Amino acid sequence: MDVTTTDSEDTMSVQGKAIIVTGASSGIGMATVQRLAEHGARIVFGARREDKLEELAGLLPSGRYAYAATDVSNFDDVQHLVDLSVERFGKVDALFNNAGIMPLSTLSEGKRDDWQRMLQTNIMGLLNGISAVLPVMHRQGYGHILATGSMAGYNLYPGAAVYCGTKFAERAIMEGLRREEHGNGIKTTYVAPGMVDTQLYESIGDEARSQEVVSAWHEHNHSLTPDDIARFVEFAIAAPERMVINEVSIRPLAED
Ligand code: NDP
């Protein structure tokens, strides 16, 4: 997508912006890193699988990126990404909090370890990102914090109560952040995708359940590609200073 407008005052571009992306080793995060880097952004990215980050780095223009093995549930790891951006590029224009997992089970199964991992990754990961980057954005007087939410942040599905809970919580946190920080020049965006064809479905944990979910959804819907979401993220970050897209849902046309 070409997001360059014809209005000379409103040339929408991510060129030269310093952007941090979490969950960059696959899916939406990886596609977003590639798209933003191709269009001239400086990218700092992280996830736990360092080999995948290294492969991704091999596809990017040299000198315009930095990466580090990152577990978003660990505040120091996330702080390190923020520090990398400031050291290498002198600023943080945007932080895309995208890392997430979706182990599914019914509440009666009592999979407390899975729930704990989900809370730590999806909710604490977001909070760690906000907490690490806000001081920098306050100093700058501007910045943009984005989060990958989900349609599961609006709807409840049996067998996904805890995952939905984390995505509802992310939406609440992002709306709270908007209310607290818009006066400080900080933009917030909660992007809620419908089904996107990624490895997320492998994190369901139970192969039979994973097959069931994927085939039921594939039967009715054509899923989006990770780059479909990346296009929106680029658009949101490139928007003129006066404009912010706070919340958006992006579904496959066939999804109900
Ligand atoms: P993927 O599984 O392809 O990507 C998830 C990414 O998150 C991976 O890079 C993974 O890397 C990373 N990640 C997981 N746990 C951690 C952690 N503790 N610390 C750092 N990184 C972590 O799935 P998607 O691209 O689909 O998922 C991205 C986001 O999109 C998630 O928040 C998900 O909830 C959301 N989403 C996805 C939808 C879909 O249909 N695919 C629909 C709606 C929302 P690694 O394992 O290397 O750490």
Side-chain angles (χ1 to χ4, degrees), residues 169-182 188:
E170 284 182 45
R171 187 154 66 89
I173 291 162
M174 291 301 288
E175 175 60 9
L177 183 67
R178 181 188 75 76
R179 292 186 187 208
E180 290 179 9
E181 294 296 337
H182 72 97
T188 60

Side-chain angles (χ1 to χ4, degrees), residues 222-238:
H222 297 286
S223 50
L224 297 169
T225 68
D227 188 57
D228 291 332
I229 308 304
R231 283 165 189 262
F232 167 72
V233 172
E234 180 189 16
F235 179 82
I237 294 174

Side-chain angles (χ1 to χ4, degrees), residues 2 20 27 49 91 136 195 229 246:
D2 180 1
I20 302 170
R49 287 170 295 171
K91 59 181 179 170
V136 176
M195 190 177 186
I229 308 304
N246 291 122

